[in-house]
Amino acid sequence: MDKQEHIEERLLIKKEKEYYEKCPGCKVDREKEMHQGLPIKQFLMLWIIVLSSALTISSLFPFIYFMVRDFHIAKREEDIGFYAGFIGASYMLGRALTSIMWGNIADRYGRKPVIIIGTSSVVVFNTLFGLSTSFWMAISMRFLLGTMHGLLGPIKAYACEIVNEEYQALGLSAVSTSWGTGLIVGPALGGFLAQPAEKFPTVFSSDSIFGRFPYFFPCLVISLFALIVAIACVWIPETLHTHNSEKTSSQVSYDALESTSSDKVDMKEGSENTSKESLIKNWPLMSSIIVYCVFSLHDMAYTEIFSLWAESPRRLGGLSYSTQDVGVVLAISGLGLLVFQSSLYPLVEKIIGPIMVSRIAGILSIPLLTSYHYIAMLSGITLSIVLNCASLLKNILSISIVTGLFILQNRAVEQHQRGAANGIATMLMSLGKAAGPAGGGILFSWSEKRQDADFLPGDQMVFFILNIIELVGVLMTLKPFLVQRTQ
């Protein structure tokens, strides 16, 4: 039997046993089996959808310091970081409250509606955030954006279902790469495009809407991109199975499909047992989620602190950078991150596995963060080169950790539970990420008031506490805490 006949036989078995004409999930499964080679179109689709959502998460960090200053709510310069942290946290708090709901909706009604609603919410609430005239309006718009943006959990399930099993690691890598790139490019856009009337007075008048609302332009650009993506999402395929027969995992192998009748019965019974399994009792899933939450707390605190640290004055231990200077650093990091995740990460993960990747990346992050205090002592071109290298390496390590944990989470459950599982992960991770900016802002504000302390003065305390959180995460990657589901 040649290869073509072998493929045709598998398709015949699939059609007879599992394919339902009106089921969108079955249609996608059939198309996956017929497709040969790397699914570039699907990867590109995932990339753009996730990017449109991720750009909003941290695009505010380069200008939030100046935005809070312009609200005149902080009585002292040292207090700006305190208020900035709560604006950064409000989005994650809103997302934490609704993530499980959106995960259940994705499992019941499909991934596609949740994706469309999530991208559409960016258009509305991110635009209104750019038009904020007070501290409380800014917090409200970010909170509402978080509550309506339930895309992160379902899109990870979607990434596993839209491609064959052999490409699932690459699909999840595309999600985390795009998410990580958005978390870098978003701040780059925020840094470049904020305060356009001051940076480009010949183009933007101080009397124009961009002069009266100096932080509206970057929000508008991101919202317009999200609008295009939301419209395009109307034509993406749905991957959820809607027929009433036994739901089968998209991860069932070809060998299993060709096995004997008794083997099929055993597999079906195993599927029934899995479907009844409580997600909370699924330790491979819950352990990966808990570790993911710890690293998420660290990453969001770092993202908040990095911009505040870079833009604070030299006398307070910062770099006295402008929003544009921070934008340049983050743009370089984003480009390097894109190259690494699209070329090297899948190879490294295949060789040493997702757990070891996350563990090694966490260990390397600790001495790197310790060096930040000493980087602030540099100046000129030396400072620029060293800071860009450090920022690039830190973001590569962070996204490698996240990608490895994404893979573990989605391998721990069957298809019909992935939406709910990722909803739980997103809820708990969002709580960590809500605490990250708020805690980071408070920590940074406190550290600026203790420049002359005997023990870890100024920014040394900030990076020391970040390293403690990172160390906790590394220790949690060890057995018996973090385990991988055996297929």
Side-chain angles (χ1 to χ4, degrees):
M1 182 182 295
D2 60 21
K3 183 177 179 180
Q4 182 62 34
E5 291 175 344
H6 191 59
I7 293 174
E8 291 176 357
E9 181 179 344
R10 291 185 312 204
L11 287 175
L12 181 61
I13 295 173
K14 183 78 173 180
K15 182 174 182 179
E16 291 177 350
K17 300 299 182 182
E18 299 179 20
Y19 184 69
Y20 291 80
E21 192 67 35
K22 296 182 180 181
C23 175
C26 288
K27 183 178 180 180
V28 169
D29 285 348
R30 183 173 175 83
E31 290 174 351
K32 287 190 298 185
E33 291 205 14
M34 296 176 64
H35 182 80
Q36 299 294 312
L38 193 67
I40 297 176
K41 179 181 177 181
Q42 287 84 347
F43 289 157
L44 182 61
M45 174 184 65
L46 288 168
W47 175 273
I48 294 174
I49 293 173
V50 175
L51 182 63
S52 68
S53 301
L55 288 174
T56 65
I57 306 300
S58 55
S59 59
L60 74 164
F61 288 137
F63 60 76
I64 193 64
Y65 184 91
F66 302 100
M67 189 183 219
V68 172
R69 181 199 64 186
D70 294 347
F71 287 150
H72 303 294
I73 193 170
K75 297 180 180 179
R76 296 182 299 173
E77 191 172 29
E78 292 88 340
D79 294 329
I80 291 177
F82 175 85
Y83 292 99
F86 288 105
I87 295 179
S90 58
Y91 170 89
M92 293 298 170
L93 179 60
R95 196 170 74 177
L97 295 176
T98 59
S99 291
I100 292 181
M101 178 192 76
W102 288 117
N104 288 328
I105 290 174
D107 280 343
R108 184 170 182 177
Y109 299 105
R111 316 328 187 183
K112 182 176 175 178
V114 177
I115 292 172
I116 293 175
I117 293 171
T119 51
S120 299
S121 68
V122 173
V123 180
V124 177
F125 296 111
N126 190 60
T127 302
L128 292 175
F129 171 72
L131 296 171
S132 296
T133 55
S134 69
F135 174 73
W136 294 109
M137 180 179 177
I139 281 186
S140 299
M141 292 304 103
R142 292 291 292 181
F143 177 79
L144 290 173
L145 176 59
T147 60
M148 296 300 295
H149 198 257
L151 182 148
L152 179 56
I155 199 66
K156 289 187 288 182
Y158 191 79
C160 287
E161 296 161 2
I162 199 67
V163 298
N164 287 322
E165 182 180 3
E166 60 185 303
Y167 297 116
Q168 284 178 2
L170 198 55
L172 287 170
S173 180
V175 171
S176 60
T177 302
S178 181
W179 195 264
T181 303
L183 296 183
I184 303 300
V185 175
L189 288 175
F192 282 121
L193 302 181
Q195 302 167 321
E198 296 180 17
K199 296 174 182 174
F200 315 106
T202 57
V203 180
F204 299 95
S205 168
S206 59
D207 296 326
S208 67
I209 188 172
F210 300 110
R212 289 182 287 114
F213 299 95
Y215 312 105
F216 175 56
F217 190 37
C219 296
L220 178 63
V221 170
I222 293 172
S223 294
L224 290 175
F225 177 60
L227 176 61
I228 295 172
V229 174
I231 295 172
C233 283
V234 173
W235 290 277
I236 66 173
E238 176 60 67
T239 59
L240 185 68
H241 290 272
T242 57
H243 52 80
N244 294 325
S245 67
E246 283 286 28
K247 295 181 179 179
T248 55
S249 171
S250 63
Q251 295 186 26
V252 174
S253 67
Y254 293 144
D255 292 337
L257 291 174
E258 297 172 346
S259 61
T260 63
S261 299
S262 59
D263 289 338
K264 291 178 183 178
V265 172
D266 290 341
M267 182 184 70
K268 194 170 184 180
E269 290 176 353
S271 178
E272 291 175 355
N273 291 334
T274 302
S275 67
K276 297 176 182 178
E277 181 183 5
S278 169
L279 292 177
I280 303 299
K281 296 179 180 179
N282 184 338
W283 185 244
L285 171 66
M286 296 308 299
S287 62
S288 61
I289 289 177
I290 294 170
V291 178
Y292 178 40
C293 291
V294 173
F295 283 115
S296 295
L297 169 64
H298 172 275
D299 289 346
M300 282 304 290
Y302 166 80
T303 304
E304 171 90 7
I305 287 169
F306 179 83
S307 295
L308 294 175
W309 170 69
E311 292 171 352
S312 63
R314 283 276 187 176
R315 62 182 177 81
L316 296 177
L319 305 180
S320 295
Y321 269 26
S322 66
T323 58
Q324 188 167 347
D325 294 330
V326 174
V328 170
V329 174
L330 297 177
I332 293 173
S333 296
L335 180 60
L337 187 66
L338 173 61
V339 173
F340 172 80
Q341 283 293 102
S342 60
S343 58
L344 295 179
Y345 179 84
L347 179 62
V348 175
E349 188 273 331
K350 186 176 181 180
I351 295 173
I352 65 176
I355 293 180
M356 188 58 69
V357 168
S358 299
R359 187 179 303 152
I360 293 175
I363 292 172
L364 293 177
S365 296
I366 294 174
L368 179 62
L369 272 179
T370 303
S371 70
Y372 274 46
H373 169 73
Y374 304 98
I375 291 175
M377 299 178 182
L378 304 175
S379 61
I381 188 65
T382 304
L383 170 62
S384 179
I385 293 174
V386 175
L387 182 64
N388 276 285
C389 290
S391 176
L392 171 59
L393 182 56
K394 177 65 179 72
N395 284 290
I396 285 176
L397 295 174
S398 294
I399 204 63
S400 296
I401 295 170
V402 169
T403 303
L405 295 171
F406 275 0
I407 292 172
L408 292 176
Q409 288 169 29
N410 283 276
R411 287 178 180 173
V413 292
E414 299 292 343
Q415 185 206 29
H416 59 280
Q417 288 186 309
R418 284 199 193 117
N422 282 294
I424 293 173
T426 303
M427 181 200 71
L428 296 176
M429 174 268 292
S430 296
L431 289 174
K433 286 194 171 185
I442 294 171
L443 175 62
F444 183 80
S445 179
W446 172 62
S447 69
E448 286 197 327
K449 299 173 184 176
R450 56 186 308 278
Q451 297 294 323
D452 300 321
D454 294 329
F455 177 69
L456 298 175
D459 61 348
Q460 289 188 58
M461 177 60 75
V462 173
F463 297 119
F464 174 75
I465 293 178
L466 285 178
N467 275 335
I468 293 296
I469 299 172
E470 189 83 357
L471 179 61
V472 171
V474 169
L475 293 176
M476 293 174 73
T477 64
L478 301 173
K479 289 184 178 180
F481 189 86
L482 182 60
V483 294
Q484 185 171 356
R485 180 189 176 189
T486 56
Q487 297 294 332

